[in-house]
Amino acid sequence: MTATTPTTTDRYVSFCGLDCDGDARRMMLHLDAAMAQGASKWRDYFRKKLAEKTKMGVDDLFFVGAQVNCLRAYLEEAADGPGLALLDQLEETCC
């Protein structure tokens, strides 16, 4: 392959070996625990979005990908380092 030959990446192959569903589930459990710990303007927002998630029947990874910016704002507000690290990992490797 020369330097001018474009490379193609099959994103489905590139996800091999990653536990995106498991990481997304851990993020959802983390969100649930964080919401139970204290008051925040984000609690009502996420309650509404989680109800919509259930109604639409989307999976956890879809939810995390769709809510990544709001999740980040919530976790930053809470100064939740572990939650932010997990979100960064999910966003970089799975979303």
Side-chain angles (χ1 to χ4, degrees):
M1 181 181 302
T2 66
T4 59
T5 304
T7 59
T8 58
T9 302
D10 182 343
R11 71 184 189 107
Y12 296 103
V13 172
S14 68
F15 287 131
C16 288
L18 299 176
D19 186 12
C20 293
D21 290 330
D23 288 343
R25 182 70 193 134
R26 282 195 299 284
M27 183 77 248
M28 298 304 292
L29 292 171
H30 193 91
L31 174 62
D32 186 50
M35 288 175 52
Q37 288 182 4
S40 169
K41 64 183 178 184
W42 291 105
R43 287 176 73 188
D44 288 336
Y45 173 83
F46 282 117
R47 283 188 181 135
K48 178 181 174 187
K49 291 300 179 183
L50 289 167
E52 291 173 5
K53 172 190 175 292
T54 300
K55 185 177 180 181
M56 292 187 314
V58 298
D59 64 19
D60 293 337
L61 185 57
F62 180 92
F63 180 83
V64 171
Q67 296 296 323
V68 71
N69 291 328
C70 294
L71 285 165
R72 181 170 310 287
Y74 176 56
L75 295 168
E76 285 175 351
E77 177 185 283
D80 185 339
L84 285 166
L86 180 55
L87 184 62
D88 285 344
Q89 176 188 337
L90 270 162
E91 185 177 16
E92 188 170 316
T93 61
C94 298
C95 293

